[in-house]
DNA sequence: CGGAATCTTGATTACCTTCAAACAGGGTGG
DNA sequence: CCACCCTGTTTGAAGGTAATCAAGATTCCG
């Protein structure tokens, strides 16, 4: 039942997500470990939905491998991506009764999941867990505000910020992009064409290399950073 | 010393902020009341700074009357207003060691202030306070995300959202604007001219009335809302 | 009344979007 | 192996929206 609910998506032909109920292999760090909860591991194939907007917020997820995106569909049909989740990131913890965004897998993704109620119960009795929960939410807030400052800037500035953010997160200047141009555009509030044009513009000014369309090597970090605050 | 530090601003001629150390007249609700802390009351005249960006986050403030704005100055000199604070709102609680924005008074404003360390200490011993703290941070996160979705929309949509948000907050369709057009522009990521043009455009289409430049009466809520998601 | 700040309006420009089409890569089936 | 298709990316041309530049109108206050 859980498996069904979680693995259906607009990619009907993908293999069923694999549910393996077992003790978390990654205990001892952050919330998942701290509360000594047993997490179920689950796989989502590229494009499948992890949770939908307005669904009851039943689970909290931790990305083990792969990448996910959190987004909202606006009334005009455009998709606004709020953030990308990478391995180690936790998804859905800030939700109230219901999730406020949809989250799906950008690439094949494995997550650990625990019931949100269990986390909340742990936070009620353990002040240390409560503190981590607050820290997590504060980090999300910080990211959301940074993102908002991004969206009022020029297109080249937005793309430069995005690349530097990614470099920071992956701690590598040789970046294998897991997301499409459309994902980047939706994250930055631009169109796919504009993103593409700015990539080639950065390549032409030797700020980056583009060995393939999905691989970016930062060459002139200073030129990119000069576009930032 | 506190009075000096808190009342200097780029409006050198304003009257000194008035510090009256006394028990909070508004106890019993939210964090300030819950932890039974004695708050100092303090007044800021229009334009004076409540706290600066990167300053150590020493105090938490609760707006008693007036309006404040939280903002960042970007490298190109533009000012990005993150949010406005109205009576009842709490300021600075989500900060880590240092504030991440500047906050100053849009109009003459009275706040209650308590040491952040006192609030954090209370949260460590009282799970109820910790929960309120988390709730507060989650609300700020929700607002930040809503704001981010605002910033990717068209100018008329942004202004309409702003007016409806204000109406919601003040629960009155007859809105006395405490902030300038420049404030609105900086909040919406637009220019003052664009904001002005859209106000008159809304007036010309009978969506709003503009008895004075600082007073807005919502007339056709549907027309405004149709611009939203 | 005079001066400063704020707001409005107009003309022009720049940036990004839209529309359109071609190109590239990757997998499948013949 | 190659033709084909599907998805994703790039590039070009034209158009629209909001910024910029500029000037005038209004409000507020001493």
């Amino acid at each position: 039942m859980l498996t069904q609910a979680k693995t259906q998506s607009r990619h009907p032909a993908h293999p069923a997500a694999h549910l393996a109920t077992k003790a978390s292999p990654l205990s001892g760090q952050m919330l998942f470990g701290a509360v000594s909860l047993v997490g179920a591991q689950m796989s989502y194939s590229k494009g499948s939905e992890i949770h939908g907007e307005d669904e009851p917020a039943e689970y909290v997820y931790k990305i083990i491998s792969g990448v996910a995106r959190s987004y909202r569909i606006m009334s005009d049909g455009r998709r606004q991506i709020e953030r990308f989740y990478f391995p180690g990131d936790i998804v859905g913890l800030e939700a109230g009764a219901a999730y406020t965004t949809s989250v799906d897998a950008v690439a094949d993704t494995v997550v650990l999941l625990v019931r949100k109620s269990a986390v909340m119960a742990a936070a009620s009795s353990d002040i240390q867990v409560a503190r981590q929960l607050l820290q997590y939410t504060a980090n999300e807030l910080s990211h959301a505000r940074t993102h908002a400052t991004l969206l009022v800037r020029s297109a080249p500035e937005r793309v430069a910020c995005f690349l530097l953010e990614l470099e920071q997160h992956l701690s590598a200047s040789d970046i294998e992009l897991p997301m499409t141009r459309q994902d980047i555009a939706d994250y930055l509030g631009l169109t796919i064409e504009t993103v593409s044009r700015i990539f080639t513009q950065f390549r032409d000014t030797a700020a980056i290399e583009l060995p393939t369309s999905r691989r970016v090597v930062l060459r002139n970090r200073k030129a990119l950073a000069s576009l930032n605050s």
Side-chain angles (χ1 to χ4, degrees), chain A:
Chain A
M1 182 198 84
L2 173 63
T3 309
Q4 288 176 305
K6 291 280 155 195
T7 59
Q8 72 196 348
S9 78
R10 57 181 176 280
H11 289 243
H14 75 75
H18 177 69
L19 177 63
T21 309
K22 60 181 176 185
S24 160
L26 296 182
S27 59
Q29 65 177 111
M30 271 298 289
L31 291 159
F32 277 68
V35 299
S36 310
L37 293 172
V38 174
Q41 193 166 310
M42 188 133 167
S43 300
Y44 296 91
S45 63
K46 185 163 127 175
S48 61
E49 183 174 81
I50 295 175
H51 69 67
E53 192 175 344
D54 298 328
E55 274 181 22
E58 196 174 358
Y59 296 99
V60 173
Y61 308 81
K62 178 174 183 167
I63 310 285
I64 301 304
S65 67
V67 182
R69 65 192 156 220
S70 170
Y71 65 93
R72 237 178 282 247
I73 303 295
M74 309 205 300
S75 54
D76 60 359
R78 275 192 307 166
R79 178 184 64 166
Q80 160 80 338
I81 293 182
E82 181 172 274
R83 63 165 296 168
F84 295 104
Y85 292 105
F86 294 94
D89 291 341
I90 289 176
V91 181
L93 195 52
E94 78 283 10
Y99 298 116
T100 55
T101 58
S102 301
V103 173
D104 60 23
V106 172
D108 290 352
T109 297
V110 177
V111 305
L112 218 58
L113 54 80
V114 301
R115 290 196 170 273
K116 187 159 168 289
S117 57
V119 177
M120 298 319 265
S124 291
S125 60
D126 185 342
I127 199 74
Q128 204 58 35
V129 174
R131 195 170 301 172
Q132 289 179 328
L133 220 165
L134 180 61
Q135 185 60 50
Y136 162 84
T137 310
N139 287 345
E140 290 295 298
L141 176 56
S142 171
H143 180 273
R145 288 180 169 172
T146 302
H147 192 207
T149 66
L150 235 188
L151 297 177
V152 299
R153 309 168 87 93
S154 72
E157 286 170 332
R158 293 186 218 183
V159 175
C161 280
F162 170 76
L163 290 174
L164 292 168
E165 187 186 340
L166 217 53
E167 179 195 33
Q168 186 82 12
H169 201 100
L170 306 175
S171 29
S173 62
D174 190 332
I175 303 168
E176 187 75 34
L177 295 174
M179 69 286 285
T180 67
R181 295 284 186 275
Q182 187 65 61
D183 289 329
I184 300 172
D186 291 345
Y187 179 66
L188 299 178
L190 299 170
T191 60
I192 182 176
E193 295 95 332
T194 299
V195 171
S196 181
R197 271 184 254 270
I198 288 169
F199 268 74
T200 57
Q201 177 189 312
F202 283 172
R203 170 169 56 68
D204 293 348
T205 58
I208 63 171
E209 280 177 46
L210 277 175
T212 74
S213 68
R214 288 298 189 91
R215 204 158 136 244
V216 183
V217 185
L218 305 196
R219 276 294 165 216
N220 190 345
R221 206 164 283 91
K222 208 164 279 181
L224 295 174
S226 72
L227 297 172
N228 295 23
S229 65

